[in-house]
Each structure stands twice: as structure tokens, then as C-alpha cells.
């Protein structure tokens, strides 16, 4: 179908673990079994995870190898499927949509959710799924080398591997924050999940590989999709533009003018996106993109689209894998538009429901005090939600006053005995600087999550031996200006008490020695 004709027609379809007193850093566990060669196991025939790797075809790339292998080694038909249903719909609800439909809202205007056929997945025990997922870690077999697509059966079970658009995202570092935990929090089991160590530098890659892959499938089916659009505070636009560029799909980005870092702005530009800098905030951009995608054949890529959450939930499954399927006590996630906290809940809940683990962790959602509608709602006892006017915050990606996924977040927190905390600008910047001083290099949003941890630790809610994971959502290199301003003590009304500016010194031996002696004497008592 020609783009011109598309532009003229509407297309939008209306176990308990005891921590030892002397903690020994664990070694990540991976099963010593070979990569699985099948796209999907079936009910009738369960291929063993010890199946040998696909044949290497001379002169073929990994996608072609996977394609040829599927032709020469056809697998039995599987019964795995997924569909859109109204979020939190009751068992009597009959409304549902194929994932191949272009639809974002239910008939009542509510959110949609991707619902998997759990009965089909339950045909295999939890031990099967653990072994299967572990067998794919670190492999280059297409597409299972991705941290997202290594869980393909739980993400988009019906998509052809040939339609997948992936940068082998995920598999991100689980950093043992040994010094930070010991020195500042008296904790011996504190971890930071560095989701920002990804293709475009943020966790958004996890969801975007799923969404863009589905769009790639839809375009091959001649569905009315000319391009993909999003409103963004930075990271969503970077992920969207990169994956669309990889697939050759046009991307359109709505950004709030002068409200994102230069490092975030340059990413969609460099990837060839059509970028609109709009004189409004994120909420204003979100309203505009929703109106535009209702009129033009542009696929909506924001987290209103529940496909994104299917990729993001794999970070939760990955955390369990990295702990050899032991469940941490706490997982702390920064929250803005609030899709991610629900995605983590969904990943943990699927693992429990399908027998991979026997419980889920308690979730904490951390918000910036300058954009804290969920926190205020939580403090009111969930009585009444009121959007807020989000004020400027160094944690710019969560500067959102009217989050789309508010209902999803509340559901996740209520079903995980969760907590909401907030961080002032000074608290989040001090937490970021403190973490950086112990060898991390984190984003301000992670500073928000660490502030929540500090408050819950100081109040005794989180204990010294509780295994706790803080989710770091973006790479610190995207926010260098805020770090420069902090260490230059150049932030108005902020003490910047952990600032570490360079010391100016004359270019002679005596001056340098004087400065070094003074510095070393100040450190002597600490070593």
C-alpha cells in the first residue's frame, strides 16, 4: 500500500534464603548445556535444552543460518500464543485483540495488557524453563543471544525469528555494590542492575526491540504503518530511532524543547529520526503524539503500548537468572511514566506462576519529589489520584506529572507489598555523587532509587542482610553536564557536599609536591 494512500485513511482500531553473616561474593551461574536450536517447544514434543547448536552454513550470517536451520529442522507446532486484553480485566471479559491489530486502548478507553496462554506454558515445568533460558545466555544463535529474545516464548511467541530486530540487548551487568553497601548502608548484599549498559544506553532498548520487531512484522503483512512515533524525555527516542534505523523504518520523535540533555538529543538525530522539538513538557508531547497517531498511519511507541512492557519484563527474569534463580528481598525501580515498575512485577510474577521461583520480591518505586504523583497517591492511602505539574528535575526522564501507567503501577505495588518513596533534587544528586565515588558512574534516576534505598535502610524497613537490587535505568555518560555542574558546585541552592573539583596548581615541582602532601595527609587516617 502506498504511503500517500495510507496518509488519507484512518487506521487506528478503535524459597526462604538465609544470608550468611560472612558474605562471599557469589559467582554467576550458567548451566553447562548447549544452546537450544528450537524456536518454540511444543506440548506434544518437548525438545531437550541439551540439543546441539544449529549447523553453520558456509557464507551465511546468523540470521540466514537460523532461517535455513528452521527449514531443514522443522519443529512440531507449538501452542504458545499471546493477545491484547483490557488491563486487569476480570475472568468474564471477552474483549481481546490479536497482536497483529493496531490498537492501544480497550473499548472503554482503558489500558491494554499482553496476556499469554499460561496453560500452554504450564505444560512445561519451571525446571524446563530455567534450563532453557540459561542455555541461551552468551550465545550468538539468532535471536537467542539477546537477553530479551532468549525468553522469546514468553515475549512474542508467534513472531518469526526472521522478523526480529535486535541488537542483542539485555544481558546487562548485575554490579555488586560492595563498597557502597558496606561504607554507607552497612549492607553486604546490595546490587545494582545496570540496564543502561545496553545498545543505546538505557533500559528502553528492552521494550523497543519487541515493539519494532512487531512493527517489522506488520509492515511485511502490508498493515497500514508508514513509521513509528513517540513522545520522549530522551531515552525512548534514542531506542526507537536506533531500532527503526536498523530495520529501515522511519521514526518520528516529539521532544520537549530544552528539557533533555544534549547526549540524549543527539542520539535520535544521529540515527536519522525526524525530530520535532516542541515548546511544551513531556505530558504535552504525549498528548500530541496520541492525537497524531489517531489520525496518521504512525505506530505509537510510548509505554501506553503494552508491547514495550513485554521486553522490559525480561530484566526481572534476568535478575533471577543471575542469582541462580534465588529471589532477592527487594527491587527498587525509578518511576516516571510508570510502565517499568509494572513490567518488573509482570516478569517476577510470570516466573512464580510458571514454577521457576516460589515468591516474588517486594517492589519499591522511587520518584523525584519534583514529579511525584504516584508518591502522593501512595501517601494518601490510594484514596485519590491527582496528576501534578512536573517541575524541573535532574532526573529528566522521570519528569512526568500525569503518568500513563498509573493503574499498572498501583496494581504492581499492591500485589507485591510495595512501597513508594521520593527524592529531593539535593538528595538524588548527593546519592549519585556518593555512588560514583565508590566506582559506579550512574544517572540521576539511579540517584533517585538510591535515595529511596537510603531512606528505607535508615528507617529499618530494609535490613542489613536483605538482598536488594537497585535498577539503574540509563548510562551516566548521558548526564555528564549534571555531574559537571555538581562537582563545580554550580547548582543554585544546592550545597553539593560531595563535590570533587580539580585542583589548580602551578607548573613547578614544589607546588605540585605541596598539594600532593596535603592531599595524602588528609587520606592517611582512612587507609
Amino acid at each position: 500500500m502506498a504511503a500517500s494512500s495510507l496518509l488519507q485513511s484512518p487506521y487506528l482500531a478503535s524459597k526462604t534464603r538465609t544470608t550468611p553473616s560472612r558474605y562471599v561474593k557469589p559467582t554467576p551461574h550458567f548451566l553447562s548445556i548447549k544452546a537450544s536450536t528450537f524456536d518454540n517447544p511444543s506440548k506434544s514434543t518437548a525438545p531437550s535444552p541439551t540439543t546441539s547448536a544449529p549447523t553453520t552454513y558456509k557464507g551465511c550470517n546468523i540470521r540466514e543460518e537460523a532461517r535455513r536451520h528452521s527449514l531443514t529442522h522443522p519443529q512440531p507446532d507449538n501452542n504458545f500464543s499471546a493477545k491484547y486484553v483490557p488491563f486487569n480485566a476480570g475472568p468474564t471479559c471477552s474483549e481481546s485483540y490479536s497482536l497483529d491489530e493496531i490498537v492501544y486502548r480497550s473499548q472503554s478507553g482503558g489500558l491494554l495488557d499482553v496476556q499469554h496462554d499460561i496453560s500452554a506454558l504450564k505444560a512445561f515445568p519451571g525446571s524446563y524453563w530455567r534450563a532453557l533460558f540459561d542455555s541461551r545466555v552468551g550465545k550468538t544463535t539468532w535471536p537467542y543471544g539477546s537477553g530479551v529474545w532468549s525468553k522469546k516464548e514468553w515475549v512474542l511467541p508467534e513472531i518469526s525469528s526472521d522478523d526480529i530486530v535486535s541488537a542483542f540487548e539485555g544481558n546487562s551487568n548485575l554490579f555488586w555494590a560492595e563498597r557502597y553497601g558496606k561504607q554507607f548502608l552497612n549492607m553486604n548484599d546490595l546490587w545494582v542492575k545496570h540496564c543502561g549498559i545496553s545498545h543505546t544506553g538505557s533500559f528502553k532498548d528492552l521494550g523497543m526491540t519487541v515493539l519494532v520487531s512487531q512493527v517489522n512484522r506488520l509492515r511485511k503483512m502490508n498493515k497500514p504503518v508508514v513509521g513509528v512515533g513517540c513522545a520522549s524525555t530522551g531515552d525512548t527516542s534514542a531506542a526507537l530511532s536506533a531500532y527503526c534505523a536498523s530495520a529501515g523504518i522511519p521514526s518520528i520523535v516529539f521532544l520537549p524543547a530544552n528539557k533533555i540533555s544534549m547526549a540524549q538529543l543527539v542520539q535520535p538525530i544521529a540515527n536519522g529520526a525526524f525530530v520535532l522539538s516542541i515548546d511544551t513538557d513531556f505530558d504535552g508531547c504525549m498528548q500530541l503524539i496520541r492525537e497524531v497517531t489517531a489520525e496518521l498511519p504512525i505506530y505509537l511507541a510510548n509505554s501506553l503500548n503494552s508491547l514495550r512492557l513485554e521486553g522490559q519484563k525480561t530484566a526481572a527474569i534476568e535478575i533471577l537468572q543471575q542469582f541462580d534463580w534465588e529471589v532477592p528481598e527487594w527491587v527498587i525501580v525509578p518511576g516516571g511514566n510508570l510502565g517499568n515498575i509494572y513490567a518488573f512485577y509482570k516478569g517476577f510474577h510470570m516466573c512464580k506462576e510458571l514454577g521457576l521461583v516460589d515468591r516474588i520480591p517486594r517492589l519499591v518505586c522511587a520518584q523525584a519529589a519534583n514529579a511525584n504523583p504516584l508518591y502522593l497517591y501512595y501517601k494518601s492511602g490510594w484514596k485519590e489520584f491527582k496528576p501534578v505539574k512536573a517541575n524541573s528535575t535532574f532526573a529528566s526522564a522521570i519528569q512526568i506529572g500525569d503518568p500513563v501507567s498509573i493503574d499498572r503501577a498501583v496494581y504492581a505495588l499492591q500485589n507485591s507489598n510495595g512501597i513508594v518513596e521520593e527524592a529531593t533534587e539535593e538528595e538524588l544528586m548527593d546519592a549519585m555523587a556518593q555512588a560514583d565515588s565508590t566506582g559506579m558512574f550512574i544517572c540521576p534516576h539511579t540517584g533517585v532509587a538510591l535515595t529511596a534505598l537510603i531512606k528505607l535502610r535508615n528507617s529499618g524497613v530494609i535490613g542489613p542482610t536483605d538482598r536488594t537490587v537497585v535498577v539503574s535505568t540509563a548510562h551516566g555518560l548521558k548526564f555528564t553536564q549534571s555531574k559537571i555542574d555538581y562537582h563545580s558546585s554550580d547548582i543554585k541552592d544546592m550545597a553539593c557536599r560531595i563535590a570533587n573539583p580539580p585542583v589548580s596548581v602551578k607548573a613547578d615541582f614544589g607546588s605540585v609536591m605541596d598539594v600532593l602532601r596535603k592531599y595524602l595527609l588528609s587520606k592517611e587516617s582512612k587507609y
Side-chain angles (χ1 to χ4, degrees):
M1 187 181 296
S4 58
S5 63
L6 290 176
L7 291 168
Q8 295 170 3
S9 61
Y11 80 105
L12 184 65
S14 241
K15 118 185 134 103
T16 299
R17 180 187 55 81
T18 301
T19 302
S21 58
R22 185 174 182 272
Y23 180 70
V24 179
K25 180 179 179 181
T27 301
H29 167 82
F30 301 113
L31 295 182
S32 55
I33 52 183
K34 296 181 180 180
S36 170
T37 64
F38 51 91
D39 276 354
N40 292 301
S42 81
K43 276 186 176 180
S44 57
T45 305
S48 168
T50 58
T51 305
S52 60
T55 304
T56 299
Y57 296 91
K58 188 174 181 179
C60 290
N61 61 41
I62 58 172
R63 190 191 291 272
E64 291 168 340
E65 284 182 3
R67 187 185 304 129
R68 290 193 179 192
H69 187 83
S70 67
L71 292 173
T72 58
H73 298 76
Q75 296 297 320
D77 290 338
N78 68 74
N79 299 294
F80 304 143
S81 62
K83 59 186 177 182
Y84 293 124
V85 298
F87 171 72
N88 203 18
T92 61
C93 179
S94 60
E95 183 184 352
S96 67
Y97 307 90
S98 164
L99 298 189
D100 294 332
E101 291 187 59
I102 301 171
V103 55
Y104 314 115
R105 291 279 195 180
S106 68
Q107 292 174 359
S108 65
L111 297 171
L112 293 174
D113 199 13
V114 175
Q115 183 184 83
H116 291 261
D117 185 347
I118 296 298
S119 62
L121 295 171
K122 280 185 174 180
F124 300 89
S127 58
Y128 174 83
W129 292 115
R130 289 196 301 265
L132 176 61
F133 295 162
D134 284 348
S135 75
R136 292 168 172 172
V137 173
K139 303 300 190 295
T140 57
T141 305
W142 183 265
Y144 303 121
S146 159
V148 172
W149 297 108
S150 64
K151 288 87 177 168
K152 180 175 181 287
E153 296 82 6
W154 290 22
V155 177
L156 288 185
E158 295 171 278
I159 194 170
S160 165
S161 293
D162 203 41
D163 292 339
I164 290 173
V165 183
S166 173
F168 277 23
E169 52 289 307
N171 296 321
S172 58
N173 181 32
L174 188 59
F175 177 88
W176 183 34
E178 180 181 17
R179 183 181 165 202
Y180 183 84
K182 178 180 179 180
Q183 182 173 333
F184 298 113
L185 294 165
N186 189 30
M187 296 181 73
N188 66 358
D189 210 354
L190 174 62
W191 301 78
V192 177
K193 178 64 170 171
H194 280 298
C195 293
I197 303 176
S198 191
H199 180 57
T200 71
S202 88
F203 79 95
K204 300 294 179 72
D205 294 346
L206 304 178
M208 209 57 75
T209 180
V210 176
L211 185 142
V212 175
S213 294
Q214 180 64 13
V215 170
N216 194 37
R217 169 183 167 93
L218 294 175
R219 284 164 62 89
K220 289 182 179 182
M221 296 170 67
N222 293 318
K223 294 282 186 174
V225 180
V226 168
V228 190
C230 75
S232 179
T233 48
D235 292 331
T236 299
S237 66
L240 174 64
S241 59
Y243 283 86
C244 281
S246 178
I249 299 171
S251 58
I252 301 96
V253 172
F254 288 19
L255 295 176
N258 304 315
K259 291 184 175 67
I260 68 170
S261 74
M262 188 58 65
Q264 291 173 302
L265 174 61
V266 75
Q267 287 183 281
I269 290 172
N271 285 135
F274 186 65
V275 179
L276 284 71
S277 180
I278 303 174
D279 185 22
T280 184
D281 58 10
F282 171 80
D283 295 315
C285 288
M286 187 69 224
Q287 179 61 34
L288 285 168
I289 194 69
R290 288 169 64 177
E291 292 172 357
V292 167
T293 54
E295 296 294 328
L296 296 176
I298 299 170
Y299 195 83
L300 181 64
N302 284 96
S303 57
L304 174 65
N305 190 315
S306 52
L307 284 175
R308 288 259 308 275
L309 308 186
E310 292 306 291
Q312 290 166 208
K313 77 183 182 188
T314 62
I317 306 170
E318 200 169 282
I319 287 171
L320 297 176
Q321 276 187 286
Q322 290 170 307
F323 285 134
D324 194 16
W325 303 100
E326 287 190 3
V327 182
E329 275 70 42
W330 300 90
V331 175
I332 306 174
V333 185
N337 220 11
L338 302 179
N340 212 24
I341 188 71
Y342 176 66
F344 271 80
Y345 169 78
K346 191 172 186 182
F348 288 128
H349 183 261
M350 279 192 75
C351 286
K352 180 178 182 292
E353 188 175 19
L354 291 168
L356 285 74
V357 296
D358 59 6
R359 63 183 179 88
I360 67 172
R362 293 185 67 180
L363 297 179
V364 177
C365 188
Q367 291 209 292
N370 283 1
N372 63 349
L374 179 66
Y375 175 76
L376 296 175
Y377 192 19
Y378 171 77
K379 295 299 286 186
S380 75
W382 306 121
K383 291 179 181 178
E384 182 181 4
F385 173 73
K386 295 180 181 179
V388 302
K389 175 65 176 177
N391 295 314
S392 179
T393 172
F394 284 101
S396 57
I398 58 176
Q399 186 179 324
I400 299 168
D402 190 11
V404 167
S405 292
I406 180 65
D407 293 338
R408 291 168 171 158
V410 172
Y411 181 89
L413 292 161
Q414 290 180 338
N415 284 279
S416 64
N417 193 18
I419 295 172
V420 187
E421 260 297 351
E422 67 173 355
T424 67
E425 294 303 288
E426 188 153 12
E427 287 172 335
L428 73 90
M429 292 298 284
D430 283 347
M432 179 176 70
Q434 198 176 58
D436 287 353
S437 74
T438 66
M440 289 185 262
F441 194 73
I442 61 171
C443 64
H445 316 84
T446 311
V448 174
L450 286 173
T451 298
L453 169 62
I454 292 165
K455 291 181 175 181
L456 293 171
R457 180 71 192 93
N458 289 342
S459 66
V461 175
I462 294 180
T465 61
D466 288 355
R467 176 170 283 176
T468 302
V469 179
V470 171
V471 177
S472 181
T473 55
H475 203 294
L477 285 171
K478 288 190 173 190
F479 302 92
T480 52
Q481 190 59 53
S482 66
K483 294 177 183 285
I484 291 168
D485 291 344
Y486 182 91
H487 289 289
S488 301
S489 297
D490 196 25
I491 303 174
K492 186 179 178 181
D493 299 327
M494 189 177 293
C496 303
R497 62 185 181 88
I498 313 174
N500 182 34
V503 177
S504 297
V505 60
K506 292 181 181 180
D508 65 79
F509 178 75
S511 297
V512 171
M513 288 297 291
D514 288 344
V515 169
L516 287 175
R517 286 193 183 100
K518 184 178 179 180
Y519 170 74
L520 293 174
L521 284 170
S522 72
K523 297 294 181 182
E524 189 173 13
S525 62
K526 298 181 181 180
Y527 291 90

